[in-house]
Amino acid sequence: MGAGAKHRFVFVDRLLAALAPLRHGATHDVLACRFGVDRSTMTRAIGGVRPLLAERGCVISPGVRLRTLTEVIDHLGASGRTGIVDISPLTAHGLVRRG
């Protein structure tokens, strides 16, 4: 190995790594390569972050894959839940107008 400071796998990186497989289906091997850590480090990090997400209401339903905003809204309505949707990328590109 070379000299110099080692990359630290900080909490923000661990959070992104925990969300990536849920959104994009990335494997732990791919994420470990991307973040420059060992696969076992990635697996432990994801395992440590998911309970924190669950404590705050971010629950992953097995077998549910929502691909469109309509599917998200329908799923929330059917389950009696509410959600916050960030549309700022859409407004920035003029796809949605406010007010």
Side-chain angles (χ1 to χ4, degrees):
M1 294 283 165
K6 302 285 184 202
H7 170 74
R8 291 185 36 173
F9 197 39
V10 296
F11 179 76
V12 172
D13 291 342
R14 295 191 317 262
L15 177 61
L16 291 173
L19 294 173
L22 302 174
R23 178 66 176 111
H24 301 290
T27 65
H28 292 192
D29 290 323
V30 170
L31 293 169
C33 182
R34 163 64 182 89
F35 286 97
V37 297
D38 188 72
R39 184 187 186 283
S40 62
T41 301
M42 181 59 61
T43 300
R44 279 192 313 275
I46 291 172
V49 170
R50 284 205 178 157
L52 298 175
L53 294 172
E55 286 175 11
R56 285 154 183 81
C58 180
V59 180
I60 312 313
S61 302
V64 176
R65 180 83 174 163
L66 306 173
R67 292 179 174 84
T68 66
L69 181 57
T70 302
E71 290 176 353
V72 170
I73 292 168
D74 290 344
H75 178 72
L76 289 173
S79 65
R81 296 182 182 162
T82 59
I84 299 172
V85 179
D86 180 8
I87 64 167
S88 57
L90 300 174
T91 58
H93 296 296
L95 300 173
V96 174
R97 293 187 185 156
R98 290 188 175 171

